[in-house]
Amino acid sequence: MFGLSELAIILLVVIAVLCAKKLPELTRSAGKSARILKAEARAMKDEDDPATPRVIQGETVTPDEPKPQGTQQHRQ
């Protein structure tokens, strides 16, 4: 008769034929879910590994320092 693998293939073909209209939407949502899961796993890994500091490049300006020329606003 039929083995388990043959029945699984037949079942997949029947589902694909019956749900052909919704199949692109289902695969799109499955892809989004996979991306979200991957991002959350990466965030948890980053949270667990505090040895790698996050450095944000920027400029530090103290209130006592004068502003560089050209950045002052003209009053009207």
Side-chain angles (χ1 to χ4, degrees):
M1 202 89 197
F2 290 113
L4 186 59
S5 60
E6 288 87 1
L7 288 176
I9 292 172
I10 291 171
L11 182 64
L12 287 174
V13 170
V14 168
I15 289 173
V17 169
L18 294 178
C19 302
K21 290 182 182 179
K22 294 198 178 212
L23 195 59
E25 183 181 329
L26 291 172
T27 55
R28 195 174 304 120
S29 65
K32 285 181 183 179
S33 298
R35 269 186 254 121
I36 290 171
L37 181 65
K38 191 175 184 180
E40 290 295 324
R42 189 177 308 128
M44 288 184 66
K45 181 182 175 189
D46 289 345
E47 203 173 88
D48 290 342
D49 189 15
T52 56
R54 293 183 181 177
V55 177
I56 300 173
Q57 297 293 329
E59 181 180 329
T60 305
V61 179
T62 60
D64 297 330
E65 289 182 14
K67 292 183 180 178
Q69 289 185 354
T71 59
Q72 295 177 353
Q73 295 180 356
H74 297 284
R75 293 186 190 185
Q76 293 178 352

